[in-house]
Amino acid sequence: MSQEESDISLIIAQIVQKLKGSNLYAQLERQAWASLQRPEIKLESLKEDIKEFFKISGWEKKLQNAVYSELSVFPLPSHPAAPPEHLKEPLVYMRKAQGSWEKRILKSLNSMCTELSIPLARKRPVGEQKELLNKWNEMGTDEPDLSLFRPVYAPKDFLEVLINLRNPNYENGDSLSFRTHLGLIQVPLKVKDIPELKECFIELGLNTGQLGIDDSTQVPPELFENEHVRIGQKVLAEQDSAAAQQYVRQGSPTALRAELWALILNISSQPEDILYYEQLKTNVIQHDLLVDSLIYKDVKLTASNDDYYFVFEDYLYQVLLCFSRDTSVLSHFAYNSASPPKSYIRGKLGLEEYAVFYPPNGVIPFHGFSMYVAPLCFLYHEPSKLYQIFREMYVRFFFRLHSISSHPSGIVSLCLLFETLLQTYLPQLFYHLREIGAQPLRISFKWMVRAFSGYLATDQLLLLWDRILGYNSLEILAVLAAAVFAFRAVNLMEVTSLAAAEAVLADLSTLKVMPLLQIFLFATVT
Amino acid sequence: MRLGWGCQEGLVVGGPEQRLRLVALGGIMSRVSVPCHVKGTVALQVGDVRTSHGRPGVLVIDVTFPSVAPFELQEITFKNYYTAFLSIRVRQHTSMHTPAKWVTCLRDHCLMPNPHSEEGAQDYVSLFKHQMLCDMARVLELRLILRQPSPLWLSFTVEELQIYQQGPKSPSMTFPKWLSHPVPCEQPVPLLEQMWALTEMIRASHTSARIGRFDVDGCYDLNLLSYT
């Protein structure tokens, strides 16, 4: 009767409870009833026979995948005495910092609202609704006047907040001590060092085949690539999420990637999902939101200007506008340190029955947000599937990149991991950059916040995101950022200003990520 | 406890029998809070507190139970605040005419795996009877010894301390047929009951209903955003 065993039973109880509300539960029940017709199901051994049927027909595998998905996404159950805020973020000072940051964002949005005299939300007149429905597939051709709109915040504003993050119980004195943080992040979170990273990312080692390295033209495909593709096809045939997650750690073949990612994220396009997406589309048609203009502006400023992604402009609107209307995203706030902005129906201020979230999904987009969606457009062409994949990627990973938390994959930990790796393994470079006023994090922050989207070539980016899915962690972003600095160290040692350092690191489009990661983790003499 | 994401063997995705075999529920047996008096923390420090430069790394908190007879301790819960290691000493009632002695029942329990970093610093913790080194049958007094060897933290303590003794046995509940179907399981039946009780408890604590509409009766005409 150990603590571990009671922890497991608590997790089981939680997962059972979550799955009971899901589509899968209804489907399993239907299948179980339908299976009673089958000759091999006998009344005496009903339970065993139905279980056997589920195993053979693949339903047990679907249930396994659903359980695996729950385990990957939701944090382990917390102590019964812990309040819900504790699950969002255990450290009080970080919760407070996130709260103040959110307040600033709300103030900014409210002042934009009053200055431009545009309502937060407006029901569209019928004529306008028809017009929007007609041009749903080509919203990119629209050229609304967005000059008055400005993004609510940009990554550099968020970086300033993180730089000023302080633990009130920590020795933040001016005198240098053995634990003075020489980087920009001043909070003592636990981050992994290279030996721990080597253990964690063991499949990226020199003795393991990788896509991104061992599939290059000089290497004969019989050595690794052919076998890897064969295994990938087998994983897809088995429809096993856990196996797929393990598999993509070595990279995913281009032809199999879309299906593998869908399997890992446990996305299967059921009719209900397509209907749900259509419902969201209807919501977009009916109501016009202020955040829609922010989304338009963001897409026009970022993805439309990008050589790789401008072709997907229409898809981006179709995904992001629907995303804002999706209330199912609200459930991720249980484990996100952020909270959705709240408002009241006009004239009903303070009355709880008239309290609503704004936008409906609680997520206010910032400058560069559309770049989370853009790379996925290469993989998925059907809007509802593209939408589901993006939503799942957001509630599993991307939300951590723009909220203040102590989670190991949170942006604060990633920044600290990056700075610590650089200081420890490239101390001369770090010292030099610091001396010339070019703190490395000022350059790498924007890469990490966008998960390198828009900075790397797309095939390289997708290889990187393979590993994010494979390891269920964003730490690889910080490791890659440090590896990029290590790669360009010689040039960086010669610069004498922040601007010059930025120039050396301005263009990452020629980089090959897997060799960089492998060399930094496994082949650098320390 | 660690669940390895990449390691398939460690995942809890076996059949129901395997799961039930693993079930052992210490945590949800009913318990009753014991009113206690938590004395102020005393720092253990060599030399004069005012003149010495270092911060104390050891604190002692005494917990007495003035209005309660010697009881059997079931569970201790608290919220940590930057304490790295916890030891607990207990003074128990003895039937013979010997003075009650202090005995260490928990030695250097680690609350923060790395005392210099934030991991575990503000977690909620439960310590159970079975984790103690001696039996906790007739507790008179407790002494918590907190240690924080890192000089980086300005202060450390434990908060929201609660002591529990065993409550009355929970009445047997009706649970669904599938749970009562005979399964090859070595655990005694009351544990199955308790697992079901746990599921019911979680279900009662929050709804997992899918939220649908974002408007109120078709209206989404909003005020400005609220700062709460």
Side-chain angles (χ1 to χ4, degrees):
Chain A
M1 186 148 97
S2 73
Q3 189 57 40
E4 264 206 37
E5 286 167 348
S6 63
D7 281 348
I8 291 181
S9 52
L10 194 56
I11 293 171
I12 295 173
Q14 277 210 345
I15 294 181
V16 164
Q17 200 246 350
K18 282 226 177 60
L19 289 180
K20 280 203 125 179
S22 71
N23 267 344
L24 182 64
Y25 183 77
Q27 285 175 320
L28 283 170
E29 248 189 346
R30 275 202 297 276
Q31 286 294 320
W33 280 110
S35 74
L36 294 176
Q37 313 284 337
R38 303 176 78 86
E40 62 266 22
I41 309 288
K42 309 240 182 330
L43 203 55
E44 316 79 76
S45 51
L46 186 64
K47 185 162 171 250
E48 300 304 320
D49 290 344
I50 293 188
K51 272 177 20 191
E52 191 59 34
F53 165 68
F54 276 169
K55 205 176 281 187
I56 300 173
S57 56
W59 282 99
E60 193 195 38
K61 190 57 102 184
K62 291 202 172 81
L63 179 59
Q64 270 189 0
N65 289 347
V67 172
Y68 192 68
S69 183
E70 292 294 326
L71 283 173
S72 300
V73 176
F74 279 82
L76 300 177
S78 55
H79 193 273
E85 309 88 76
H86 196 261
L87 190 64
K88 288 160 76 78
E89 171 48 53
L91 301 179
V92 175
Y93 73 93
M94 289 228 176
R95 288 205 296 262
K96 286 209 173 99
Q98 173 66 25
S100 322
W101 169 239
E102 277 171 15
K103 214 164 171 159
R104 267 176 63 180
I105 298 177
L106 297 189
K107 282 205 169 111
S108 176
L109 202 53
N110 275 347
S111 62
M112 197 188 303
C113 207
T114 40
E115 274 168 38
L116 302 179
S117 308
I118 296 178
L120 285 174
R122 171 183 73 91
K123 187 142 190 169
R124 283 189 228 266
V126 178
E128 192 185 323
Q129 288 190 28
K130 272 212 186 80
E131 206 188 310
L132 184 56
L133 189 57
N134 286 338
K135 37 178 209 7
W136 179 257
N137 289 323
E138 24 173 73
M139 283 185 272
T141 53
D142 226 3
E143 294 285 342
D145 181 13
L146 300 168
S147 52
L148 296 169
F149 290 98
R150 48 181 199 281
V152 181
Y153 66 96
K156 58 175 161 51
D157 305 314
F158 188 47
L159 178 59
E160 290 305 318
V161 174
L162 298 186
I163 291 172
N164 291 319
L165 197 54
R166 294 284 184 280
N167 179 344
N169 193 34
Y170 189 69
E171 175 71 81
N172 285 312
D174 296 318
S175 57
L176 286 177
S177 81
F178 71 100
R179 290 301 284 196
T180 301
H181 292 261
L182 294 167
L184 293 173
I185 303 294
Q186 300 291 319
V187 291
L189 296 173
K190 169 87 178 73
V191 291
K192 297 187 166 84
D193 55 12
I194 286 200
E196 285 170 315
L197 289 169
K198 270 167 136 154
E199 215 182 287
C200 176
F201 294 117
I202 196 165
E203 291 86 354
L204 301 183
L206 297 165
N207 293 329
T208 315
Q210 300 295 327
L211 287 183
I213 300 175
D214 301 291
D215 57 335
S216 69
T217 41
Q218 298 95 343
V219 181
E222 305 85 61
L223 282 180
F224 168 70
E225 199 180 347
N226 289 349
E227 180 64 14
H228 191 61
V229 172
R230 202 187 60 79
I231 296 177
Q233 285 159 343
K234 192 149 181 272
V235 167
L236 281 175
E238 291 290 311
Q239 284 290 296
D240 187 330
S241 284
Q245 190 167 323
Q246 180 70 30
Y247 174 76
V248 299
R249 290 180 182 186
Q250 290 172 264
S252 164
T254 313
L256 306 178
R257 184 175 276 129
E259 285 183 64
L260 281 167
W261 283 19
L263 182 53
I264 295 171
L265 298 169
N266 205 30
I267 305 279
S268 56
S269 267
Q270 303 289 326
E272 302 92 69
D273 302 311
I274 301 179
L275 260 165
Y276 190 78
Y277 177 75
E278 291 298 319
Q279 177 63 43
L280 293 176
K281 183 172 155 188
T282 313
N283 292 342
V284 177
I285 307 274
Q286 283 177 348
H287 291 274
D288 177 30
L289 303 182
L290 180 62
V291 291
D292 291 351
S293 307
L294 297 177
I295 291 170
Y296 269 107
K297 181 116 189 174
D298 185 45
V299 174
K300 292 281 183 210
L301 284 178
T302 56
S304 303
N305 283 331
D306 190 303
D307 292 336
Y308 294 110
Y309 301 123
F310 71 92
V311 289
F312 300 122
E313 192 181 339
D314 297 323
Y315 278 118
L316 296 176
Y317 296 125
Q318 291 175 23
V319 168
L320 288 166
L321 293 177
C322 289
F323 182 63
S324 298
R325 292 356 182 232
D326 193 348
T327 52
S328 71
V329 174
L330 292 171
S331 59
H332 93 286
F333 286 107
Y335 53 86
N336 182 356
S337 60
S339 299
K342 207 166 124 173
S343 182
Y344 296 89
I345 300 291
R346 209 180 284 279
K348 312 280 185 197
L349 189 61
L351 296 175
E352 281 315 304
E353 318 84 80
Y354 294 93
V356 288
F357 293 117
Y358 182 85
N361 73 343
V363 179
I364 296 185
F366 57 91
H367 178 67
F369 193 85
S370 53
M371 296 305 283
Y372 290 142
V373 190
L376 302 172
C377 298
F378 276 104
L379 300 173
Y380 304 98
H381 303 119
E382 208 264 292
S384 73
K385 186 112 188 231
L386 172 63
Y387 176 75
Q388 280 183 280
I389 297 277
F390 165 67
R391 180 182 59 185
E392 192 62 27
M393 292 282 280
Y394 182 81
V395 299
R396 278 200 200 204
F397 304 112
F398 297 144
F399 75 91
R400 299 202 190 275
L401 295 172
H402 62 92
S403 50
I404 302 175
S405 93
S406 60
H407 193 271
S409 274
I411 189 68
V412 187
S413 299
L414 297 184
C415 289
L416 188 59
L417 175 59
F418 164 74
E419 291 190 317
T420 311
L421 285 176
L422 215 56
Q423 266 183 72
T424 315
Y425 299 99
L426 294 156
Q428 252 192 328
L429 175 64
F430 190 88
Y431 182 77
H432 170 71
L433 289 172
R434 204 167 161 263
E435 287 295 291
I436 61 168
Q439 277 274 9
L441 185 60
R442 288 203 186 276
I443 304 173
S444 64
F445 185 71
K446 55 186 182 293
W447 303 337
M448 292 191 284
V449 164
R450 283 210 202 156
F452 281 88
S453 175
Y455 296 104
L456 296 173
T458 27
D459 61 323
Q460 297 301 310
L461 182 74
L462 293 172
L463 286 169
L464 178 66
W465 285 17
D466 279 338
R467 272 69 179 193
I468 293 180
L469 282 163
Y471 291 101
N472 200 31
S473 149
L474 294 164
E475 287 160 310
I476 198 107
L477 297 176
V479 180
L480 179 61
V484 170
F485 271 73
F487 185 60
R488 301 235 168 120
V490 173
N491 294 21
L492 286 169
M493 285 302 289
E494 289 170 13
V495 300
T496 50
S497 70
L498 174 59
E502 297 256 19
V504 169
L505 294 164
D507 183 9
L508 307 183
S509 58
T510 52
L511 293 182
K512 302 270 177 268
V513 305
M514 297 319 300
L516 281 182
L517 284 167
Q518 218 180 44
I519 292 172
F520 186 76
L521 284 175
F522 295 96
T524 303
V525 176
T526 53
Chain B
M1 74 163 228
R2 310 273 170 266
L3 283 180
W5 307 134
C7 164
Q8 270 131 292
E9 297 89 310
L11 288 175
V12 183
V13 287
E17 292 92 338
Q18 189 187 342
R19 271 180 249 149
L20 288 170
R21 236 174 269 133
L22 290 174
V23 159
L25 306 170
I28 65 146
M29 293 184 72
S30 66
R31 51 181 203 182
V32 168
S33 174
V34 180
C36 57
H37 173 63
V38 179
K39 291 201 182 141
T41 53
V42 175
L44 297 186
Q45 198 167 8
V46 175
D48 192 340
V49 176
R50 282 166 306 210
T51 56
S52 71
H53 294 290
R55 281 188 273 275
V58 186
L59 296 179
V60 177
I61 301 180
D62 274 327
V63 183
T64 56
F65 307 94
S67 50
V68 179
F71 64 95
E72 175 163 15
L73 184 121
Q74 181 75 15
E75 187 183 341
I76 301 176
T77 60
F78 57 88
K79 183 176 183 308
N80 189 16
Y81 189 75
Y82 295 93
T83 303
F85 302 100
L86 177 65
S87 301
I88 304 183
R89 306 199 87 207
V90 64
R91 193 159 72 91
Q92 302 201 59
H93 175 79
T94 49
S95 50
M96 295 169 280
H97 297 293
T98 48
K101 271 187 12 206
W102 284 101
V103 180
T104 303
C105 57
L106 190 69
R107 197 185 303 276
D108 278 342
H109 180 78
C110 180
L111 298 172
M112 286 170 66
N114 180 349
H116 294 306
S117 80
E118 300 264 11
E119 206 183 337
Q122 297 190 27
D123 281 351
Y124 286 82
V125 181
S126 271
L127 298 167
F128 297 95
K129 177 170 82 173
H130 64 260
Q131 292 171 267
M132 305 293 174
L133 297 167
C134 63
D135 86 84
M136 308 288 283
R138 291 169 300 275
V139 172
L140 280 175
E141 237 189 298
L142 287 176
R143 182 167 281 169
L144 277 64
I145 301 166
L146 285 59
R147 289 204 301 116
Q148 176 46 273
S150 170
L152 297 169
W153 310 110
L154 300 177
S155 72
F156 64 97
T157 182
V158 295
E159 298 166 346
E160 296 172 39
L161 193 62
Q162 300 262 36
I163 316 287
Y164 295 96
Q165 63 178 323
Q166 185 162 355
K169 276 212 98 59
S170 52
S172 72
M173 313 191 169
T174 51
F175 46 91
K177 289 261 161 37
W178 68 265
L179 211 43
S180 62
H181 193 283
V183 290
C185 174
E186 293 98 41
Q187 300 294 338
V189 170
L191 287 170
L192 300 184
E193 278 187 5
Q194 285 172 28
M195 179 180 171
W196 183 248
L198 191 57
T199 318
E200 290 294 315
M201 202 169 83
I202 290 180
R203 190 207 302 262
S205 65
H206 57 263
T207 57
S208 63
R210 281 180 82 80
I211 311 151
R213 305 291 308 165
F214 58 83
D215 53 353
V216 178
D217 299 329
C219 174
Y220 196 58
D221 188 22
L222 304 175
N223 276 330
L224 292 177
L225 300 169
S226 317
Y227 318 121
T228 37

